[in-house]
Amino acid sequence: MRDTYIFAVESSCDETSAAIIKNGCEEIATVVLTQIDIHALYGGVVPEIASRKHIENITIVFEETLKKAGLTVDDIDAIAVTYGPGLIGSLLVGLEAAKTLAFAYNKPLVPVHHIAGHIYANNLEKSMQFPLIALVVSGGHTELIYMKEDYSFERIGGTLDDAVGEAYDKVARVMNLNYPGGPLVDEYAHKGKDTYDLPIPLNDNTYNFSFSGIKSAVINVVHNEKQKGKEINTYDLATSFQERVMGIIVKKTMRALKEYNTENLVVAGGVSANKRLRELLTEECIKNHINLSLPRLAYCTDNAAMIGAAGYYAYKLGRIADLDLNAKANTELK
Ligand code: KG4
Ligand code: ZN
């Protein structure tokens, strides 16, 4: 069978990225230009700065990707691009650049949902087995998705308020840790003890999550202790927060696997880099004979390689967009 090469573009937040992926599973070249240092100065992503930086970087990233792969656009079968969800100004830059390439070289344009990309990052490790449960945990999402087969997504639950990464970043801020706080809270949590009395977030029979309550509880602890002139043990507070959050995520994920009678779990999104989540899931999956797939760390956060992997399956299913495709800040995964 002839090989299929997808040129993929991702610019939904603060990473400008392009990649070339062969047959949905083999990374030929990936370039990621992160803006994290710039946004860290402001304690979070500034959308206006993000889109301007994407404009400055996008052509450089495209050229670098082709050069790294030793290929030209003529070798490419289709152009896949994240059309949403994300920051609208950021999405538009990648989308317009991808459309321009598709138009100029007469290549099919394949729209990819950002979360489909995160899930398919796992296909770059080993071929995904179906049916599966996908746990999507990122700065913008916390979702449990049932996939019967390739590119079929049934959302079985998700966060009712903050995404888990968002809660990590907010808790980090109140602890005076730099942006993005998730990795730092994770690091601190591994040095502390679970001593703070924090609530278990939405410990019910649904597959939904809610992290605003525990986030407020952490903020209250910090403020109350400060008022009493007491020192906070940041390590212990990070441990207590992480144990509560990851505990409930793992509990609901394992229940979903059982109730949906599936033996395959894939984890996706920036928070899948979390060490405690990886430890707990590994333990539980061994115990319950579940085939666990975790993306390598470079594929956990935003990158175009994952968009190229998802884009391959979308392309094979004939999901081709017209050149009037628009970016969507919010859009359902389907
Ligand atoms: O998937 P991603 O790169 O961007 C979105 O699509 O949202 O995820 C970024 C999020 C940030 O909130 C960051 O703090 C969080 O992932 N994150 C972590 C860890 N590494 C990244 N959260 C907890 N523990 C980590 N080790
Ligand atoms: Zn993401």
Side-chain angles (χ1 to χ4, degrees), residues 114 118 138-140 165-166 168-169 180-183 186 269-271 273-274 300-302:
H114 184 74
H118 273 304
S138 75
E166 195 182 349
Y168 263 84
D169 293 339
D186 189 12
V271 184
N274 185 274
C300 286
T301 42
D302 293 348

Side-chain angles (χ1 to χ4, degrees), residues 168 171 175 184-198 214 218 233-247 276 280:
Y168 263 84
V171 160
M175 290 177 177
L184 281 174
V185 173
D186 189 12
E187 220 175 273
Y188 274 53
H190 276 80
K191 295 177 183 157
K193 291 185 293 295
D194 183 357
T195 57
Y196 284 91
D197 184 20
L198 298 175
I214 189 163
V218 170
N233 186 324
T234 313
Y235 297 117
D236 289 356
L237 189 54
T239 311
S240 304
F241 170 76
Q242 178 144 291
E243 287 305 305
R244 238 47 100 243
V245 168
M246 292 313 175
R276 186 63 180 144
L280 288 171

Side-chain angles (χ1 to χ4, degrees), residues 7 16 24 42 47 50 77 88 119 125 131 143 151 176 180 184 202 290 294 302 306-307 314 323 332:
F7 185 93
T16 320
Y42 302 92
D77 292 278
I88 195 74
I119 293 172
E125 301 304 325
E143 272 160 56
Y151 240 79
N176 280 327
L184 281 174
L202 201 63
I290 300 292
L294 290 158
D302 293 348
M306 65 187 199
I307 303 301
L323 289 177
E332 208 185 309

Side-chain angles (χ1 to χ4, degrees), residues 113-120 128-137 141-149 151-158 207 209 252-253 256-257 260 262 264-268 331-334:
H113 192 285
H114 184 74
I115 296 304
H118 273 304
I119 293 172
Y120 274 88
M128 280 160 47
Q129 303 295 308
F130 299 93
L132 63 78
I133 293 286
L135 167 67
V136 181
V137 276
H141 295 266
T142 309
E143 272 160 56
L144 279 167
I145 292 160
Y146 173 71
M147 289 179 75
K148 193 162 133 261
E149 59 199 359
Y151 240 79
S152 125
F153 307 99
E154 184 193 330
R155 186 181 186 274
I156 62 172
Y207 293 115
F209 301 98
K252 290 196 174 183
T253 305
L257 284 155
Y260 280 77
T262 51
N264 304 300
L265 171 64
V266 306
V267 190
T331 172
E332 208 185 309
L333 174 61
K334 42 181 195 303

